Structure formats: structure tokens, C-alpha cells
Amino acid sequence: MYELHSRLKLVLYATAIPGTLVLSWLTGLIGLPCLIIGLLLFVSFFVILPLIFRCSVTLQRGILFLTFITYPKGLDLTNPASIGLYATRNFYITVKDHDEDETGVRIGVWHVLPKNAVRRFKRELHVEQAYDEDEASRTANDLTPVSSSIGDNNEELQQLAPSLRAEFPVIVPENEQLFYERLLRVPGGTVVLYLHGNTATRGSGHRSEVYKLLRQLNYHVFSFDYRGYADSDAVAPTEEGVVRDAMMVFEYIANVTSNPIFIWGHSLGTGVAAHMVAKLSSMKERGPRGVILESPFTNIRDEIRLHPFSRPFRHLPWYDFTISRPMYDNRLRFESDKHVREFPQPIMIVHAEDDVVVPFHLGYKLYRAALDKRSRSWGPVEFHRFDRAHGYGHKYLCRAPEMPTLVQNFVENYRNAIY
């Protein structure tokens, strides 16, 4: 009975517009030319356009990854200090998709130093003025970070500072990589690899706010642009491709330091994060100590049906045939509800009730899937709801006053835990 009702509802949606046009013509409200034009527009928008989408994997990838949307305009990604990220190294990693890949794909990466390291080496880094101004601004706005002695490696930095200053009296391009990697290896530190969502670049405003939050917590932060984005090579992204990019950045970090690494994925980046960690687990490779999923979804099929862009099409009888099924067949899936069952690390999910891009209930549905399907001996799964009254929406949970404490507690609880 329910299935019959659903089918009748779909038929109603599909025939509502043409039926209204025909009825208006029959009653004389519109003329024959208007009827023909209206029907042509209906067929073009609701039939031909979905069929074109079904047949074009390029269009499917374009709509999913939105690499053509870039902001802020004119941002120089080689100069992170231009958006307030002083003491940040810009560099590039070459990702090879297979052993026979001779050229590979070049992706742009940022390494943001933690606050305690910047404070100790601000003279050598030539960021004294920027650091002091930043601290003065934070003090004026009462933005003092949560204090903690766990995982901030202050004692180790203090002991190593004299020898590091002797070796690096000044940081110049020729020794920058060596200096940053030496700081990354200092025992007791924590690293966060941030995986951004679709559109724009690693330098977008809300993303840089996350980096600054994590810097204040004394974490090393890595962020990068997937293939096809920003100053990374203009290669058409695929799910396997962007997951490969993330794995290579993770591998770079893991090869430099034995300090614990956490993954933070946002929006589409949550799909990349879950897939990547599941893949590392299946390969028996070193994985992160924990995974933070901000505004996540269950899978692309669920997300695209509920996305605002699909609103005109989602009730059409041929929606699955023309839109969701072709994306699945072309391996654009990001099945986080499947991948969270494939790795043992603890997970923290954060989601705002007023998120209109990835609806709140998809994040909660993912949480329930993780609770129900993961082994009881694996790491815990946390879920934190943010009331719609705060207006954080899809991108600004980093502005929640409780976010630093949530992140810090999660990191401190699991930085030494191995599942």
C-alpha cells in the first residue's frame, strides 16, 4: 500500500506542471503558443537536462566537486600570511596513482605551525609583529584558548630550543622544509590533517578559521587542495583520486613524525576521511588516532537527494534513473555509512541543526549507523548537536565557544590510544 501511494505521488509530481498547462489551455487562460513553449521548457528542464546528466560523467563530477567555484578571488596560496596564517609553509607533493605513473599529480599543501612553536621561534621565523598583533587582538576580544599541558610538548620544545636556534638562526626558503619537519618530529606534539569540502580552496575563510583554532590548541595543522582545485594540478577529480591525494599527504606526515595524527573532515571531506581511514585499515597501514567528522552525510545518494540543488528534480519518477544511479555506477559514492564500519578508530561527529547543505538528520543517521554496526571493542563514537538558534549553519561550527574544548578532550582522550 505504501509503495502504491509513493508511485501515485511521483506520478502527481511529474504531471502537475504539464497538466496545469494543458488545463489552462483548455479553459482558455493561455493560448496554444504559450502551451507549446511551456511544454518545451518543461521537457527541456525536467527531462532532457536529467538525461544529459545521466550520460555525462564529466557533468556528474563537476556538480559533485564544484572545482569551478573559487573564492576569495586573487588569493595567493603561496603566501598564507596574506590571510593571517603566518608561520605557515606552502609546499607541493606529487601523488602517483599507480606504479607506472611517471609524472603524477602535484597538489598544494599548507603546514601551519602550532602556537607554542611560533611563540618560541617567532624571531627566527620573522613573524614577531604578526604574532604580537594576533595575541593583542585575541586578548582584546577575550579569545583566550583552552589551556592544557597534555600534548602541547612545551617541555620538549624548551629543551630543544637552544640547539634548534643554533642550527637555524634564521629561517629562509633554503632551510624552511628542514626546520618545519624538525619541529614536526619534536616528541609530544599532535598533528591534525584537515580535509576540506567541495568548492574554493584551502585558503577559504571558514577553513582558515579552523586552522587558527587548532593552532591555538598547539596542534600542527596540514591542509591541502585535492586534484582539480586551486593550485593543484588541473586533473579531473574522482572519489578514488581525492582519497589517494589524502592518503599521500597522510603518508608524508607519518613518514616525518611518530606523533599522533588526527583527521578532521568537513562536508565532502568527511566522505574522503572515512574512505581513506577505511582503506588504511584494510591495508594494515598506520592510521590516525581519531577522526573528526564535521557536517557529515551517510552517502552521496542520500546527500544529493536532499541537497538544495536537487529540489526541482528529486520527486520526478526518473530521478534515480537519471541522477543518483549514474553517479553510483560511475563510482561517485562516498559511502561513509559503509566505511565507518571498516576502521576501529574513535569518531567524533559534530553537526548543526540549521545546516541546509548537509541536513542534520544525515549526520545523526551516520552516527546511528556507526553505533549499530561497529565492533564494541573499537573506539567510541561521539555525537555533538549544535542548536539552530546559534546560526552556525554548514560552515561555522568552528565559531562555537565549546568547540575548542570538545576537540581538545577528544584528542587528549585518544592521542595515546591504539585500537
Side-chain angles (χ1 to χ4, degrees):
M1 190 68 182
Y2 175 77
E3 186 176 347
L4 176 63
H5 178 265
S6 298
R7 290 184 180 277
L8 290 174
K9 190 175 180 180
L10 289 174
V11 171
L12 176 63
Y13 278 120
T15 58
I17 294 177
T20 301
L21 289 171
V22 172
L23 184 62
S24 298
W25 173 64
L26 290 174
T27 57
L29 294 176
I30 61 173
L32 183 60
C34 289
L35 172 65
I36 294 173
I37 292 172
L39 291 175
L40 286 174
L41 289 174
F42 173 82
V43 171
S44 298
F45 189 74
F46 291 105
V47 180
I48 295 177
L49 189 58
L51 286 173
I52 292 173
F53 185 86
R54 171 181 170 78
C55 298
S56 174
V57 66
T58 301
L59 184 57
Q60 293 166 27
R61 291 173 181 169
I63 293 296
L64 175 59
F65 293 105
L66 298 176
T67 56
F68 54 89
I69 299 179
T70 58
Y71 60 88
K73 298 293 185 181
L75 175 62
D76 181 7
L77 292 168
T78 65
N79 180 27
S82 64
I83 58 169
L85 287 171
Y86 52 86
T88 297
R89 175 185 170 225
N90 177 76
F91 64 105
Y92 298 89
I93 289 178
T94 298
V95 178
K96 294 190 175 182
D97 292 332
H98 48 80
D99 294 338
E100 290 74 30
D101 188 352
E102 296 182 358
T103 57
V105 179
R106 193 184 80 149
I107 58 173
V109 186
W110 280 353
H111 175 189
V112 184
L113 289 180
K115 177 183 176 180
N116 56 355
V118 179
R119 183 176 64 248
R120 290 188 181 278
F121 297 100
K122 60 183 179 181
R123 180 177 60 83
E124 290 78 8
L125 288 162
H126 307 291
V127 297
E128 292 173 286
Q129 181 178 350
Y131 178 85
D132 293 342
E133 289 176 353
D134 189 22
E135 285 301 291
S137 174
R138 295 186 66 81
T139 301
N141 292 286
D142 194 25
L143 295 175
T144 305
V146 178
S147 60
S148 172
S149 59
I150 303 177
D152 62 11
N153 68 348
N154 278 318
E155 291 184 7
E156 291 85 352
L157 275 172
Q158 184 175 357
Q159 293 172 2
L160 291 171
S163 61
L164 284 171
R165 287 197 179 96
E167 186 177 355
F168 301 97
V170 62
I171 310 304
V172 292
E174 289 73 20
N175 66 7
E176 182 184 56
Q177 177 181 349
L178 183 59
F179 177 74
Y180 275 70
E181 291 181 351
R182 285 287 296 276
L183 288 178
L184 190 60
R185 282 195 293 269
V186 173
T190 302
V191 186
V192 177
L193 171 57
Y194 181 84
L195 307 178
H196 70 64
N198 60 5
T199 77
T201 73
R202 61 189 182 277
S204 298
H206 63 285
R207 293 166 188 161
S208 65
E209 289 187 41
V210 176
Y211 314 154
K212 292 172 183 178
L213 180 155
L214 296 171
R215 159 176 276 178
Q216 290 294 319
L217 294 175
N218 293 326
Y219 304 153
H220 289 267
V221 185
F222 282 83
S223 180
F224 68 97
D225 280 304
Y226 314 107
R227 60 189 65 196
Y229 289 86
D231 57 347
S232 296
D233 281 350
V235 176
T238 63
E239 179 172 354
E240 289 295 329
V242 298
V243 170
R244 180 72 174 165
D245 296 341
M247 290 183 67
M248 289 302 99
V249 179
F250 181 88
E251 183 178 294
Y252 163 78
I253 302 168
N255 286 339
V256 173
T257 183
S258 59
N259 286 327
I261 306 169
F262 286 78
I263 306 297
W264 182 318
H266 172 246
S267 193
L268 186 66
T270 63
V272 180
H275 192 163
M276 179 190 78
V277 181
K279 202 164 188 177
L280 289 170
S281 180
S282 69
M283 297 166 62
K284 308 299 182 185
E285 297 283 350
R286 174 188 172 184
R289 294 295 171 85
V291 181
I292 299 172
L293 302 178
E294 178 191 359
S295 308
F297 50 85
T298 47
N299 55 69
I300 281 299
R301 179 173 288 186
D302 289 346
E303 161 57 14
I304 199 168
R305 177 178 286 277
L306 295 173
H307 196 280
F309 287 165
S310 72
R311 187 169 295 162
F313 308 100
R314 68 181 64 152
H315 298 298
L316 297 173
W318 49 87
Y319 172 84
D320 285 331
F321 175 75
T322 58
I323 296 178
S324 64
R325 197 182 307 161
M327 295 188 71
Y328 185 87
D329 293 342
N330 288 319
R331 303 187 66 81
L332 299 173
R333 302 173 183 177
F334 290 103
E335 296 172 291
S336 295
D337 50 354
K338 169 189 171 185
H339 295 312
V340 294
R341 298 177 284 174
E342 299 173 336
F343 62 85
Q345 286 88 345
I347 301 171
M348 181 171 79
I349 298 175
V350 293
H351 214 137
E353 291 179 338
D354 60 328
D355 189 336
V356 296
V357 177
V358 179
F360 171 82
H361 81 268
L362 285 186
Y364 188 75
K365 186 178 178 181
L366 179 64
Y367 167 65
R368 294 302 314 180
L371 280 184
D372 295 341
K373 302 297 183 180
R374 284 164 58 94
S375 169
R376 300 304 177 195
S377 64
W378 287 4
V381 183
E382 303 177 10
F383 185 86
H384 299 280
R385 172 197 306 255
F386 292 80
D387 193 278
R388 65 178 64 252
H390 299 301
Y392 298 132
H394 183 61
K395 299 191 295 188
Y396 295 107
L397 283 176
C398 56
R399 296 179 180 176
E402 62 268 40
M403 184 60 77
T405 303
L406 289 175
V407 173
Q408 192 171 55
N409 289 342
F410 183 74
V411 169
E412 291 177 1
N413 285 339
Y414 304 114
R415 69 184 315 275
N416 296 317
I418 299 177
Y419 290 91

